[in-house]
């Protein structure tokens, strides 16, 4: 069946479609129906089934004769370490860890915070929680003490599992002092913590509260898998949210199993036994869905990579890992490719490796600018698939479904809606807009299985944030348009659509033009306050390594390009060259913070920022253009 037949089969019978997909999961008790309508726009999937995530991700593969297959490949260029863990080893390690947690009182429904770097033990901790029916909340390792404290107070964990440290190129990130600080700050205190001591730094353990990862497993009975209801929360993942307090996105167990398993073949085009690599972090949704759960549920080999796209040791790291571990499908963020392209614009490092094992590459996490996609297409000679999803959704909503049918790639578009989604573009009053017009991207309720049914202890906020503006729809918070062929174009967050003298313009559209310039490695456009026009676009450029042309000339050239491609209506005149852009650790550019600096407004340092020093550099650049005066 091609894409259209699969999509139509979902549309004609959504519940039958997902019930059929549920047959690929091993249930302790099959659900009696797919969808439960709870009223008030609230829904649940497979609510009365009984199932265990860890059983489906680990034990069943051992029982079905795949025990000797590699489940996890750990590759850490930072520590010069590589190791492989088979499914049978993984089962034993996870069962022992779960048994030790259970012996200390962790049971079904308890919350456990996981604060770890990119090591296999992070996945083992997640799976051990799933084995017991405990609800994990992974917090990005090295997050500031205050941010960790906020999450401790919201989730109220019985235990926290952490590592002694994380490793960045050239520095050790001391996790334990951050953890101690967070527990001191938090009103809620965990009963105990478990610390995985890394050889790069051995942390000081507090007697009676902190337990050594290996020591506390000594002599305990391994735990069996505890079946939970299909609507039992598997995890809470906090998303920074534009307003202060983080939002705790929850994921139900049954829906996650069914949806992630379905995507591995239909989207990512891997069969059980194939090697799948998502170069992300367990702290993000991509790490949950496609480093840990998706590949393991489907019986793939997953890669845990502790390194960076450049500098560990060079811009050839991605290609080395792909060649060495025979990666069939690779998934990363556009920002990672931009970093590689900036260091190796002509692809000299690509040529050093044999990438014949690689069948396709997926990009997600922010808009993939056409320039980056074309570079990757030219270098890798493989399908480069941009796709769109969110923490809230948990897996792709719009994608070129390679495993079903590779549709024509259109630059700048993540392609078409997948089963479960029917994207529409609405104006502020909720009217549907014709093809080609920019508006709010929404999809009708109910959302498909595996998406978030609610926020942790915050149902009012859930409804207000996502369901109130456009009744009957889920509001994505993204703005974009749909073309005549039904391809979606995501142009910006709704907040990044700027109003220049009454014209609604997308900053993403302007960034596309800037990125087209041969000397520009990366760029960002924000809207700054303007007395006359309301808002004016302002551009930041990072240049390719080895660029010799003067900055002023490049600025003049990109201003001219925007005039030619978007028109004088864009009023694009303000632009400067900077060394680097402020980003979150997952590579999203902090446009909102840049706007606040430009407009001399108070702002809160974003918790997820990679390097706060960059904000000072941005302020200096803005002052050069007459902004950020305050």
């Amino acid at each position: 069946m091609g894409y259209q037949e699969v999509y139509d089969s979902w549309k004609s019978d959504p519940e039958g479609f997902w019930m059929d997909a549920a047959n690929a999961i091993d249930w302790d008790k099959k659900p009696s129906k797919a969808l439960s309508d709870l009223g008030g726009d609230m829904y649940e999937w497979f609510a009365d089934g009984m199932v265990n995530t860890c059983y489906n991700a680990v034990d069943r593969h051992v029982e079905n004769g795949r025990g000797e297959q590699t489940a996890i490949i750990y590759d850490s260029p930072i520590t010069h370490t590589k190791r492989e863990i088979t499914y049978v080893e993984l089962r034993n390690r996870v069962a022992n860890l779960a048994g030790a947690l259970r012996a200390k009182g962790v049971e079904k429904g308890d919350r456990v915070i996981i604060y770890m770097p990119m090591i296999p033990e992070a996945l083992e901790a997640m799976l051990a929680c799933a084995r017991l029916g405990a609800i994990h909340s992974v917090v990005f390792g090295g997050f500031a003490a205050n941010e960790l404290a906020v999450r401790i107070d919201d989730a109220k964990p019985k235990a926290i599992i952490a590592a002694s440290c994380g490793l960045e190129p050239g520095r050790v990130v001391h996790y334990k002092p951050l953890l101690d600080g967070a527990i001191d700050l938090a009103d809620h205190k965990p009963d105990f913590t478990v610390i995985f001591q890394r050889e790069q730094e051995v942390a000081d353990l507090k007697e009676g509260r902190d337990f050594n990862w290996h020591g506390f497993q000594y002599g305990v009975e391994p735990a069996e898998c505890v079946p939970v209801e299909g609507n039992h929360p598997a995890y809470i993942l906090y998303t920074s949210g534009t307003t202060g307090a983080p939002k705790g996105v929850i994921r139900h167990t049954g829906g996650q199993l069914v949806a992630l398993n379905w995507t591995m073949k239909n989207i990512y085009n891997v069969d059980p036994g194939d090697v799948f690599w998502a170069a992300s972090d367990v702290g993000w949704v991509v790490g949950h869905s496609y480093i840990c759960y998706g590949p393991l549920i489907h019986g793939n080999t997953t890669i845990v990579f502790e390194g960076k796209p450049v500098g560990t040791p060079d811009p050839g790291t991605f290609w080395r890992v792909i060649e060495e571990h025979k990666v069939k499908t690779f998934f990363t963020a556009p920002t990672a490719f931009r970093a590689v392209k900036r260091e190796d614009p002509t692809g000299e490092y690509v040529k050093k490796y044999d990438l014949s094992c690689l069948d396709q590459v997926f990009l997600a996490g922010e808009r993939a600018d056409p320039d980056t996609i074309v570079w990757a297409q030219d270098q890798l000679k493989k399908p480069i698939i941009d796709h769109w999803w969110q923490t809230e959704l948990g897996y792709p909503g719009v994608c070129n479904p390679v495993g079903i049918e590779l549709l024509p790639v259109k630059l700048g578009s993540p392609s078409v809606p997948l089963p479960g989604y029917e994207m529409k573009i609405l104006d502020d009053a909720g009217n549907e807009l014709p093809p080609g017009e920019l508006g709010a991207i929404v999809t009708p309720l109910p959302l498909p299985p595996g998406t978030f049914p609610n926020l942790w202890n915050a149902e009012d906020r859930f409804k207000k944030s996502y369901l109130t503006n456009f009744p009957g729809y889920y509001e994505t918070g993204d703005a974009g348009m749909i073309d005549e062929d039904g391809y979606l174009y995501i142009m910006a967050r709704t907040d990044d659509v700027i109003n220049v003298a009454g014209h609604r313009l997308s900053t993403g559209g302007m960034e596309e033009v800037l990125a087209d310039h041969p000397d520009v490695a990366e760029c960002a456009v924000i809207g700054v306050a303007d007395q006359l026009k309301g808002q004016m676009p302002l551009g930041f450029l990072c240049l390719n390594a080895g660029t010799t042309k003067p900055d002023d000339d490049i600025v003049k050239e990109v201003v001219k390009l925007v005039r030619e491609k978007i028109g004088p209506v864009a009023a694009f005149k303000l632009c400067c060259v900077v060394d680097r852009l402020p980003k979150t650790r997952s590579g999203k550019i902090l446009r909102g913070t840049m706007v606040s600096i430009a407009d001399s407004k108070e702002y809160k340092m974003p918790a997820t920022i990679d390097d706060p020093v960059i904000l000072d550099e941005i302020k200096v650049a803005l002052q050069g253009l007459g902004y950020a005066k305050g």
Side-chain angles (χ1 to χ4, degrees):
M1 282 207 298
Y3 161 74
Q4 202 55 54
E5 289 104 324
V6 173
Y7 189 78
D8 290 345
S9 74
W10 160 72
K11 215 167 166 182
S12 62
D13 180 12
E15 294 188 52
F17 180 91
W18 291 117
M19 224 32 186
D20 188 44
N23 289 331
I25 295 304
D26 287 5
W27 299 86
D28 292 86
K29 173 177 153 263
K30 288 211 158 174
S32 65
K33 59 175 183 173
L35 184 70
S36 309
D37 183 344
L38 310 181
D41 281 342
M42 304 293 281
Y43 299 89
E44 289 178 347
W45 290 90
F46 312 118
D48 67 351
M50 296 296 289
V51 71
N52 182 276
T53 300
C54 185
Y55 180 81
N56 276 277
V58 185
D59 299 60
R60 69 167 173 166
H61 303 308
V62 178
E63 288 168 22
N64 295 339
R66 309 180 75 89
E68 292 310 312
Q69 183 196 312
T70 301
I72 298 170
I73 296 171
Y74 171 53
D75 188 309
S76 169
I78 292 188
T79 62
H80 306 289
T81 310
K82 291 173 203 171
R83 63 191 167 101
E84 297 189 4
I85 299 168
T86 63
Y87 271 102
V88 73
E89 282 177 273
L90 183 61
R91 183 200 59 193
N92 298 344
R93 293 164 71 120
V94 169
N96 286 334
L97 178 59
L101 291 169
R102 186 180 59 190
K104 288 238 170 293
V106 175
E107 49 193 57
K108 178 186 165 188
D110 287 336
R111 275 81 60 212
V112 175
I113 280 182
I114 299 171
Y115 184 69
M116 294 187 92
M118 281 298 290
I119 53 177
E121 288 77 10
L123 274 59
E124 291 168 14
M126 294 164 79
L127 292 162
C129 291
R131 196 172 190 84
L132 299 172
I135 302 166
H136 67 66
S137 185
V138 180
V139 178
F140 189 94
F143 239 30
N146 177 53
E147 293 297 329
L148 179 53
V150 169
R151 288 154 175 79
I152 292 171
D153 281 335
D154 195 68
K156 302 192 170 29
K158 185 170 271 187
I160 299 179
I161 303 176
S164 55
C165 67
L167 301 167
E168 295 281 326
R171 70 188 176 105
V172 173
V173 183
H174 316 290
Y175 284 8
K176 187 60 170 47
L178 291 167
L179 175 62
D180 292 342
I183 294 173
D184 288 346
L185 283 169
D187 293 328
H188 172 86
K189 309 293 181 194
D191 290 3
F192 66 98
T193 79
V194 180
I195 307 296
F196 179 75
Q197 299 278 24
R198 301 191 72 182
E199 60 187 58
Q200 290 76 15
E201 175 168 281
V202 176
D204 177 41
L205 301 187
K206 287 195 163 63
E207 187 68 38
R209 185 196 77 184
D210 302 335
F211 294 87
N212 180 300
W213 171 284
H214 293 292
F216 103 123
Q217 296 186 42
Y218 180 73
V220 299
E221 277 293 300
E224 288 308 307
C225 296
V226 177
V228 300
E229 299 76 11
N231 63 356
H232 180 71
Y235 67 72
I236 306 166
L237 179 55
Y238 289 95
T239 164
S240 45
T242 38
T243 51
K247 293 184 285 205
V249 167
I250 54 179
R251 192 85 59 222
H252 280 176
T253 301
Q256 158 162 280
L257 282 164
V258 173
L260 291 183
N261 185 66
W262 185 87
T263 63
M264 291 309 295
K265 177 63 186 163
N266 290 285
I267 295 176
Y268 296 112
N269 198 28
V270 286
D271 294 305
D274 288 337
V275 181
F276 177 89
W277 179 25
S280 179
D281 188 283
V282 286
W284 312 122
V285 70
V286 173
H288 284 60
S289 295
Y290 294 114
I291 295 175
C292 186
Y293 292 116
L296 296 176
I297 292 162
H298 194 244
N300 292 105
T301 296
T302 187
I303 296 182
V304 173
F305 172 73
E306 187 181 36
K308 297 277 188 238
V310 297
T312 59
D314 56 45
T317 300
F318 279 173
W319 324 130
R320 171 190 68 77
V321 172
I322 290 166
E323 176 189 83
E324 207 168 295
H325 304 304
K326 306 280 181 282
V327 174
K328 184 176 174 186
T329 295
F330 177 47
F331 176 165
T332 189
T335 189
F337 268 15
R338 283 197 289 269
V340 173
K341 170 175 162 260
R342 191 178 184 181
E343 299 275 314
D344 184 23
T346 56
E348 296 313 306
Y349 281 90
V350 184
K351 301 180 182 77
K352 296 180 181 181
Y353 297 94
D354 172 7
L355 303 181
S356 54
C357 58
L358 184 67
D359 281 4
Q360 52 267 317
V361 174
F362 287 83
L363 298 174
E366 9 118 50
R367 284 189 70 245
D369 52 292
D371 199 50
T372 299
I373 292 178
V374 169
W375 176 84
Q377 286 171 337
D378 289 348
Q379 298 304 331
L380 303 175
K381 311 280 190 276
K382 311 277 178 184
I384 309 294
I385 308 298
D386 177 24
H387 63 325
W388 172 89
W389 46 298
Q390 302 174 306
T391 301
E392 288 87 348
L393 303 182
Y395 62 96
V398 178
C399 182
N400 196 326
V402 185
I404 300 172
E405 175 188 10
L406 179 59
L407 301 172
V409 169
K410 292 191 184 192
L411 290 178
S413 168
S415 301
V416 293
L418 293 167
Y421 300 92
E422 198 181 341
M423 298 300 176
K424 296 189 186 311
I425 309 293
L426 305 184
D427 66 15
D428 295 344
N431 307 307
E432 194 170 347
L433 291 166
E437 287 204 26
L438 189 68
I441 302 170
V442 302
T443 188
L445 297 171
L447 286 171
T451 57
F452 73 146
N454 209 331
L455 293 173
W456 181 254
N457 291 338
E459 192 170 303
D460 289 345
R461 187 174 179 190
F462 171 73
K463 291 182 166 177
K464 189 166 172 285
S465 299
Y466 302 102
L467 310 179
T468 310
N469 277 349
F470 302 106
Y473 291 99
Y474 165 71
E475 181 184 1
T476 65
D478 279 323
M481 61 173 197
I482 294 176
D483 73 9
E484 302 284 354
D485 299 326
Y487 278 59
L488 183 74
Y489 291 76
I490 314 265
M491 300 312 289
R493 291 296 289 168
T494 318
D495 318 340
D496 292 331
V497 172
I498 61 174
N499 201 317
V500 180
H503 298 282
R504 280 167 66 84
L505 295 166
S506 137
T507 53
M510 292 184 215
E511 287 174 6
E512 223 163 86
V513 177
L514 302 185
D516 242 5
H517 189 287
D519 294 312
V520 173
E522 193 164 29
C523 61
V525 175
I526 60 172
V528 295
D530 182 81
Q531 279 181 320
L532 184 65
K533 299 196 172 195
Q535 279 180 302
M536 287 278 277
L538 187 152
F540 298 90
L541 310 174
C542 298
L543 304 182
N544 280 320
T547 301
T548 50
K549 196 180 278 185
D551 292 357
D552 289 352
D553 292 1
I554 294 171
V555 166
K556 282 182 191 131
E557 287 166 16
V558 298
V559 167
K560 186 164 168 270
L561 275 175
V562 174
R563 241 190 123 76
E564 284 165 9
K565 295 208 175 155
I566 295 179
V569 55
F572 184 80
K573 303 183 189 75
L574 301 166
C575 191
C576 60
V577 173
V578 292
D579 234 10
R580 46 202 192 142
L581 295 168
K583 291 180 186 178
T584 65
R585 293 176 170 177
S586 63
K588 287 190 176 62
I589 296 169
L590 292 162
R591 293 179 183 82
T593 308
M594 292 158 80
V595 171
S596 299
I597 295 171
D599 293 344
S600 309
K601 286 196 182 124
E602 284 288 306
Y603 67 91
K604 182 172 164 267
M605 174 74 69
T608 51
I609 191 163
D610 195 27
D611 183 356
V613 177
I614 302 178
L615 295 180
D616 298 329
E617 298 168 15
I618 294 296
K619 186 172 184 179
V620 171
L622 283 164
Q623 286 169 339
L625 292 169
Y627 287 83
K629 297 187 182 96

